[in-house]
Amino acid sequence: MDWNRRDTPDALVGRPQGRVDESNWSVFAAHLATAIADAGGRRFIIDLGGVDYMSSRGLRALSTALAAAKKTGVDMALAAPGPAMREILAISRYDKLFVVHASVDAALG
């Protein structure tokens, strides 16, 4: 899994690439924690367009990040999930836990 980041005046956009699974979920969690700390009151958007699979540990990292974001006043959302990630989010009901935008532009809008 790779991680890229883009900062805008209103948001920090994190973009994981590849699979988030048992071998790298802790790296994913660390990127999420850093991004939340760096967001500084801006929105934090996770661009899922490059993620084709996420294990339960990756989902747990998202839950932990959401709790941390709420504590620090950071508005966190998911964006651009592909078909596989849309299904994973629906099955896990994370599409009810998170605001999920069709695209990063929609999330930034």
Side-chain angles (χ1 to χ4, degrees):
M1 185 219 47
D2 292 322
W3 179 270
N4 294 302
R5 171 180 158 160
R6 178 172 55 130
D7 286 276
T8 72
D10 298 324
L12 187 154
V13 180
R15 187 168 207 268
Q17 290 279 117
R19 296 172 58 91
V20 178
D21 56 27
E22 279 65 28
S23 70
N24 59 18
W25 70 270
S26 60
V27 173
F28 177 63
H31 284 299
L32 295 173
T34 298
I36 290 165
D38 291 349
R42 296 176 292 162
R43 290 177 288 150
F44 174 40
I45 300 162
I46 303 169
D47 177 355
L48 295 173
V51 177
D52 54 5
Y53 173 78
M54 187 174 290
S55 71
S56 60
R57 288 191 179 190
L59 293 171
R60 182 168 183 229
L62 285 176
S63 298
T64 301
L66 181 61
K70 286 181 179 179
K71 281 184 180 178
T72 59
V74 172
D75 184 27
M76 184 173 156
L78 308 177
M85 276 307 303
R86 275 196 308 270
E87 184 175 359
I88 290 167
L89 293 172
I91 289 169
S92 64
R93 299 187 55 83
Y94 273 55
D95 60 345
K96 307 294 185 220
L97 183 62
F98 287 89
V99 174
V100 182
H101 299 275
S103 68
V104 173
D105 288 341
L108 291 171

